[in-house]
Amino acid sequence: MITDFGRILIFLLIGAVFTGGGLAASWVLRPRRPYPGKLSTYECGEEPIGGSWVKFNIRFYVVALIFLVFDVEVVFLFPWALVFKEFGMFAFIEMVVFLAILIVGYAYVWVKGDLDWDKPVPRVSRYVKGVGVVSDETADVNEHAAA
Amino acid sequence: MGLLDKQFDNSNIVITSLDSLLNWARLSSLYQLQFGLACCAIEMMAASASNFDMMRFGVIPRATPRQVDVMIVSGTVTLKMASRIKKLFDQMAEPRYVISMGSCSNCGGPYWEHGYHVLKGVDRVIPVDVYVPGCPPRPEALIEGLMKLQEKVRNESLAKKKIA
């Protein structure tokens, strides 16, 4: 009398009891002797520096977004592969249309240059004899001053 | 809670049975902190590899001190490393054991007199359970040290020790 989803419910319940029971039993039994040295963050024996909420470069954002899109696409491909034989040609064309839409988006991103990793051009300053340290911005000013 | 932190005044059948179960479980799965310091580490790796196969004793290298029971200090403890070893030992969960492997970590070894940068024995920063002599000790020696440690774990008890 158990439906398919009923089995999933039983599975979830057993899983919850198993993990919850394990955690509860270890909480009751385990030796508990905390002190600051033990509770410190494990960083291969080093003192951790700074917080874990560091800033990431904004350039990762576009890459992460594109990755997410294609990740979800692959998730959709798995159930499609399961029923592929049943639906035959229809499923194939449907998936080709789906992939084509995403590939158009990918081409768009590519053409717009979002996949390029913009490197900042370092402004090198150099030492010119008689003038001093010059960088690209100040070169003209210094030349005028020297003249 | 922490029931295993409790000490009992008198030993009875329940406590001794629990003791033997706990000790059996602990001595059969002495996970090892995965790090090597010097040439002894090569022998330790040999002891872990297929010829000597420490895994048959339940010694599995783990990469975090939170999951391990035994720290094998395998080699020269420089002063720079000593503070790290102390920190790693602090981060291990009880029950925790230390095997000091080789002359360097036992007492400074060849660096005893002129080693300006070497800690003269790792027992100056952390408590050591078993000392394995040798320079470096062969894998058999390390395994013997491990079995000594297993003996020690086998004789632990939740009951208070009777002082004669």
Side-chain angles (χ1 to χ4, degrees):
Chain A
M1 280 307 289
I2 298 171
T3 60
D4 285 348
F5 277 107
R7 282 185 198 143
I8 292 175
L9 179 69
I10 291 172
F11 187 74
L12 285 177
L13 284 178
I14 292 174
V17 168
F18 191 75
T19 49
L23 287 172
S26 81
W27 182 74
V28 169
L29 289 176
R30 70 184 167 214
R32 191 178 145 71
R33 300 161 207 168
Y35 57 94
K38 187 189 277 179
L39 299 176
S40 60
T41 310
Y42 170 58
E43 200 73 65
C44 301
E46 296 289 330
E47 288 283 349
I49 300 169
S52 51
W53 287 93
V54 291
K55 284 177 188 162
F56 278 95
N57 199 312
I58 189 70
R59 284 175 293 186
F60 287 109
Y61 172 69
V62 176
V63 178
L65 212 61
I66 297 168
F67 167 77
L68 194 69
V69 168
F70 286 94
D71 210 33
V72 173
E73 175 190 345
V74 171
V75 169
F76 281 129
L77 278 174
F78 280 109
W80 168 79
L82 273 179
V83 297
F84 179 66
K85 277 198 179 149
E86 265 178 64
F87 289 86
M89 206 56 191
F90 172 69
F92 180 71
I93 292 168
E94 277 289 314
M95 192 45 83
V96 165
V97 170
F98 175 61
L99 291 183
I101 292 171
L102 284 175
I103 286 169
V104 168
Y106 183 66
Y108 175 78
V109 167
W110 197 342
V111 168
K112 290 288 273 185
D114 280 342
L115 295 181
D116 298 336
W117 194 257
D118 291 322
K119 275 188 188 160
V121 185
R123 291 169 187 274
V124 186
S125 57
R126 58 192 186 283
Y127 181 78
V128 179
K129 202 173 179 186
V131 182
V133 177
V134 290
S135 60
D136 291 342
E137 300 109 285
T138 59
D140 296 338
V141 184
N142 283 345
E143 271 164 29
H144 283 299
Chain B
M1 292 290 281
L3 282 183
L4 294 183
D5 270 336
K6 291 208 170 24
Q7 289 258 300
F8 299 91
D9 286 329
N10 291 308
S11 186
N12 57 34
I13 180 80
V14 178
I15 289 175
T16 48
S17 311
L18 182 64
D19 274 343
S20 53
L21 175 70
L22 273 178
N23 294 342
W24 168 77
R26 282 173 179 170
L27 71 87
S28 316
S29 64
L30 285 169
Y31 284 16
Q32 163 206 349
L33 185 56
Q34 187 179 28
F35 80 109
L37 291 185
C39 27
C40 286
I42 304 293
E43 300 295 316
M44 186 186 69
M45 287 178 236
S48 294
S50 48
N51 271 11
F52 297 95
D53 193 17
M54 274 212 296
M55 209 176 272
R56 67 203 152 111
F57 296 98
V59 179
I60 301 173
R62 305 293 300 174
T64 159
R66 313 288 190 201
Q67 299 172 353
V68 303
D69 308 289
V70 57
M71 171 192 259
I72 298 178
V73 184
S74 53
T76 318
V77 184
T78 56
L79 295 176
K80 217 173 185 179
M81 193 64 197
S83 59
R84 270 95 176 166
I85 282 186
K86 174 82 173 66
K87 197 165 183 59
L88 288 174
F89 178 78
D90 276 343
Q91 286 170 344
M92 286 163 67
E94 275 107 355
R96 54 194 176 185
Y97 307 97
V98 176
I99 293 179
S100 164
M101 180 186 181
S103 296
C104 291
S105 87
N106 286 346
C107 64
Y111 306 98
W112 167 251
E113 204 173 354
H114 300 298
Y116 61 94
H117 62 301
V118 175
L119 190 73
K120 311 292 187 264
V122 75
D123 49 7
R124 296 190 180 200
V125 287
I126 54 175
V128 175
D129 294 282
V130 176
Y131 296 88
V132 179
C135 187
R138 281 189 55 84
E140 293 98 324
L142 177 61
I143 287 172
E144 200 201 342
L146 188 79
M147 290 166 80
K148 289 275 179 218
L149 181 63
Q150 287 186 328
E151 242 170 69
K152 181 174 179 169
V153 176
R154 192 177 279 119
N155 291 322
E156 281 181 353
S157 178
L158 289 174
K160 273 181 190 154
K161 280 222 168 62
K162 294 250 162 52
I163 298 161

